[in-house]
Amino acid sequence: MYRDKSVAVVVPCFKEEHQIAKVTSTMPDFVDRIVVVDDQSPDRTAEVVAELAKADPRIVLIRHEQNEGVGGAIASGYKWARDNGMDMAVVMAGDGQMDPADLPNLLDCVIDKGVNYVKGNRLLWRGAYSVIPKRRFFGNSILSLLTKIASGYWHVSDSQTGYTVADREVLQVIDWDRMYKRYGQPNDLLISLNIANFRVRDVPVRPVYGVGEISGIKIRRVIFTISNVLVKGWLRRMWIKYVVQDFHPLVFFYLLSIVMTLIFVWMSGRVVVLWSSEGEVPGMSALAMMFSFSVALQSAFFAMWFDMEANKPLR
Ligand SMILES: Nc1nc2c(ncn2[C@@H]2O[C@H](COP(=O)(O)OP(=O)(O)O)[C@@H](O)[C@H]2O)c(=O)[nH]1
Ligand SMILES: [Mg+2]
């Protein structure tokens, strides 16, 4: 129990036979349950966890019949926590990249501030830039920016962190079977949380690298699959939140921006072709190009601004 609240820590695990013992052995005493979800690891991960469970009765091992991805593993852990009446469910990776010393800060934010979902944020840690590998830092920053636009949580960054706390209400309201199953899971969940009007906040956590972890992420591939999750999620959020459940003219601003961007692309193509083939461009085409560009940009900025205002109560 942590301040009279029960805490389960969900640990997604894939090929972590060498790392997992470090995670369970450093787990603070106030954690009531450690739900390790193995996903058909080809190595001895499941055996190692079963062995560890003999010494630590808090450990629960869930084994998937087939590999469902990190998001699928987190969904199983959350469902376990929900069905067992836990007050808070934490997610920590099975490779030792989360510092347990940060956990009280994350839990305090849920208890004291009434926030429903608290995320660790490695980018807020002083000196993070020198600890996080540069490619990671860069990829994460881009995805964080895109996730702001898609999720409506403009005050949240480090979208890819796997260190999070969800309260009881989140566990009960979110449909875990529909959550995205692979590496875009944190992005997809943020969008669903926003649609359900949950409060979300970041707490600085220490970035941990070089503890023997082997990342399963291929940055180049993941940027595309996650972008796909973000575009679909953004459309879903706009539709449900601002058209179906409620109404806000910002959807028209976004729509105008998209139409104007298409016109801009078409006009600039035309201008380039005419310029290179005939050496000159009709004034109207040049004007239409500039006009569509400025309207596209302005309406996108207005839409973002309105979205930001509409989501202020969810901080
Ligand atoms: N259950 C399960 N866990 C996974 C899967 N892929 C990754 N993980 C775990 O998810 C955590 C984070 O994955 P990792 O590849 O380290 O991502 P990174 O730390 O962001 O580079 C680690 O504990 C992995 O063992 C999977 O397919 N299934
Ligand atoms: Mg890792």
Side-chain angles (χ1 to χ4, degrees):
M1 297 290 247
Y2 183 79
R3 298 177 57 192
D4 293 331
K5 306 266 185 207
S6 52
V7 179
V9 174
V10 175
V11 184
C13 252
F14 188 66
K15 294 201 275 187
E16 303 289 7
E17 59 179 2
H18 300 299
Q19 298 293 105
I20 186 64
K22 213 182 306 182
V23 177
T24 55
S25 67
T26 56
M27 200 57 84
D29 289 337
F30 59 74
V31 170
D32 301 282
R33 294 302 206 150
I34 307 170
V35 186
V36 181
V37 188
D38 173 67
D39 238 350
Q40 289 295 323
S41 299
D43 64 1
R44 294 189 62 253
T45 301
E47 285 85 341
V48 172
V49 175
E51 199 60 38
L52 291 167
K54 286 182 193 157
D56 187 345
R58 295 178 301 168
I59 299 177
V60 178
L61 172 62
I62 297 178
R63 299 186 72 172
H64 282 170
E65 302 265 318
Q66 56 191 20
N67 185 287
E68 292 184 28
V70 63
I74 291 172
S76 297
Y78 276 151
K79 283 195 266 184
W80 188 96
R82 176 195 64 197
D83 298 343
N84 287 275
M86 290 292 173
D87 292 316
M88 295 187 278
V90 181
V91 174
M92 287 168 93
D95 58 5
Q97 281 191 288
M98 279 88 188
D99 186 348
D102 290 318
L103 191 46
N105 281 340
L106 296 171
L107 298 173
D108 284 339
C109 186
V110 174
I111 298 172
D112 295 330
K113 306 273 166 35
V115 175
N116 303 101
Y117 183 81
V118 174
K119 263 172 71 281
N121 186 324
R122 300 163 289 190
L123 307 178
L124 296 179
W125 193 262
R126 201 173 288 160
Y129 188 69
S130 54
V131 183
I132 303 175
K134 294 291 167 284
R135 269 166 65 84
R136 285 278 170 145
F137 196 96
F138 185 67
N140 190 346
S141 306
I142 291 180
L143 286 173
S144 291
L145 178 65
L146 298 177
T147 304
K148 285 171 196 273
I149 300 172
S151 72
Y153 290 121
W154 294 84
H155 61 296
V156 159
S157 64
D158 192 9
S159 55
Q160 302 322 113
T161 182
Y163 202 174
T164 63
V165 184
D167 75 356
R168 185 191 273 272
E169 218 183 325
V170 168
L171 290 176
Q172 284 166 353
V173 167
I174 299 292
D175 181 354
W176 301 112
D177 290 319
R178 288 192 55 187
M179 186 173 62
Y180 187 71
K181 296 278 163 26
R182 306 259 156 209
Y183 278 118
Q185 177 270 338
N187 315 73
D188 185 57
L189 179 55
L190 281 173
I191 293 166
S192 300
L193 289 169
N194 189 275
I195 293 173
N197 288 315
F198 280 117
R199 291 179 59 201
V200 174
R201 207 178 277 191
D202 277 350
V203 167
V205 295
R206 187 168 72 87
V208 179
Y209 283 90
V211 289
E213 80 279 1
I214 298 170
S215 176
I217 291 185
K218 309 256 182 305
I219 296 184
R220 253 182 234 190
R221 212 175 73 204
V222 151
I223 291 238
F224 287 107
T225 52
I226 297 182
S227 299
N228 191 25
V229 170
L230 289 173
V231 171
K232 284 189 187 149
W234 174 75
L235 288 171
R236 179 162 55 98
R237 185 170 74 87
M238 288 297 127
W239 176 248
I240 298 178
K241 205 162 170 165
Y242 297 128
V243 180
V244 178
Q245 288 179 351
D246 202 346
F247 176 76
H248 198 300
L250 73 85
V251 284
F252 291 128
F253 278 92
Y254 266 133
L255 203 63
L256 181 63
S257 176
I258 293 170
V259 171
M260 283 296 165
T261 304
L262 294 175
I263 296 178
F264 169 70
V265 170
W266 183 51
M267 279 299 155
S268 24
R270 185 178 147 82
V271 163
V272 169
V273 168
L274 287 180
W275 199 318
S276 53
S277 65
E278 292 172 25
E280 62 178 307
V281 177
M284 274 312 276
S285 296
L287 206 61
M289 185 184 86
M290 286 185 279
F291 177 75
S292 53
F293 178 70
S294 87
V295 174
L297 217 55
Q298 278 183 8
S299 27
F301 289 154
F302 272 120
M304 288 177 187
W305 186 3
F306 287 139
D307 192 33
M308 209 180 277
E309 287 297 317
N311 284 300
K312 277 215 169 121
L314 303 184
R315 287 181 180 215

